[in-house]
Amino acid sequence: MSSTPYSPLDGTSHPYYPPNAPIPFYAANTTPLLTILLSFASLIAGFVVLCHVLVNYTNPNPRLLKSSDRAVISWFAICGFLHIFFEGYFVLNHKTIPPSQSLFAQLWKEYSLSDSRYLSADPFMLWIETLTVLIWGPLSLLTIYFIATHQTALRHITQIVVCIAHLYGVALYYGTCHYIERYHGLQYSRPEWVYYWGYYAGMNAPWAVVPGLLLVQSVREIRRVFEAAGVVGSAKK
């Protein structure tokens, strides 16, 4: 985080782009970045482990779960944690993040070096994150439950819904930022490689790749079931 002097009242001097973005009462992070990231990674890992423990408790025979299902459970556990807790923190505290030194606030301030809209009360970011917290987070955890209890039909319904939502959300996120930069000349990310390609592009890329793969998986499974049903129906005739 930059140590550039800033004016905490007018919010126009800070390390974010554009330089004149209004971020009142901004205070630089006081915790080393490595400590912040390790703490956050520990929380995510703990939540993923907890989800697997609950899956083993819920499932009468957890050994029947494939390794691929375990991987999907881990993915939706990560999504559930980020959507409900991390993004939920943003929705509830977006006005007080700039001066805060809580773990999640410092994480948001670090990530906002790649997209300052998270610190400027941008209506689009607030609205899309609210939908994510209220709908996609709970559906991610519900998908885990359906996988754990072998409710295959319901699992693929919720999996398809969440995956399409993730793909749509990523498209809107990248699309709006690109449109504003191209046609209005506003750049929300600092130009350094780590912020644009590492944070902005890299950290959001999994939500463009993994949902696409899971969507293909669900479509193939639905196709397989319908083809099997068709064969059985033909045999009965």
Side-chain angles (χ1 to χ4, degrees):
M1 186 70 76
S2 172
S3 58
T4 303
Y6 59 89
S7 173
L9 295 179
D10 62 32
T12 57
S13 184
H14 46 66
Y16 302 99
Y17 269 54
N20 62 347
I23 305 176
F25 305 105
Y26 163 74
N29 286 346
T30 58
T31 306
L33 179 57
L34 182 59
T35 301
I36 295 174
L37 295 179
L38 289 177
S39 300
F40 190 52
S42 298
L43 288 176
I44 295 175
F47 188 79
V48 171
V49 171
L50 175 62
C51 286
H52 280 284
V53 170
L54 293 176
V55 165
N56 291 338
Y57 177 79
T58 304
N59 194 320
N61 193 350
R63 293 183 179 180
L64 294 178
L65 285 175
K66 303 176 183 178
S67 58
S68 59
D69 288 332
R70 291 283 183 182
V72 174
I73 287 171
S74 296
W75 166 255
F76 280 114
I78 293 172
C79 291
F81 178 86
L82 293 177
H83 294 340
I84 295 173
F85 298 105
F86 185 53
E87 291 165 272
Y89 178 91
F90 166 77
V91 171
L92 294 175
N93 302 280
H94 62 280
K95 292 183 179 179
T96 59
I97 287 176
S100 177
Q101 297 299 334
S102 69
L103 174 62
F104 281 4
Q106 292 190 74
L107 280 164
W108 277 115
K109 283 191 283 184
E110 178 66 23
Y111 177 76
S112 294
L113 290 168
S114 72
D115 190 344
S116 66
R117 290 181 294 176
Y118 281 102
L119 295 185
S120 60
D122 182 86
F124 170 77
M125 303 309 300
L126 183 58
W127 178 239
I128 199 71
E129 293 293 0
T130 299
L131 290 177
T132 300
V133 172
L134 295 179
I135 302 176
W136 314 134
L139 279 182
S140 295
L141 300 184
L142 186 60
T143 303
I144 293 177
Y145 174 77
F146 289 148
I147 295 174
T149 54
H150 301 289
Q151 300 186 62
T152 305
L154 292 175
R155 172 257 179 99
H156 285 290
I157 290 174
T158 56
Q159 182 167 297
I160 287 174
V161 171
V162 175
C163 287
I164 291 176
H166 282 156
L167 292 171
Y168 184 61
V170 169
L172 284 177
Y173 180 67
Y174 283 142
T176 53
C177 196
H178 174 73
Y179 177 87
I180 293 173
E181 182 176 345
R182 181 177 178 84
Y183 295 101
H184 296 279
L186 290 176
Q187 183 178 348
Y188 294 115
S189 176
R190 289 187 60 88
E192 292 88 347
W193 187 95
V194 66
Y195 300 126
Y196 186 83
W197 293 108
Y199 288 10
Y200 172 71
M203 288 186 175
N204 292 287
W207 278 267
V209 176
V210 178
L213 297 175
L214 293 179
L215 194 59
V216 170
Q217 178 197 56
S218 292
V219 170
R220 287 178 175 174
E221 179 64 18
I222 291 172
R223 179 180 178 181
R224 184 190 66 79
V225 171
F226 271 94
E227 288 179 345
V231 170
V232 172
S234 299
K236 287 183 178 181
K237 292 180 180 179

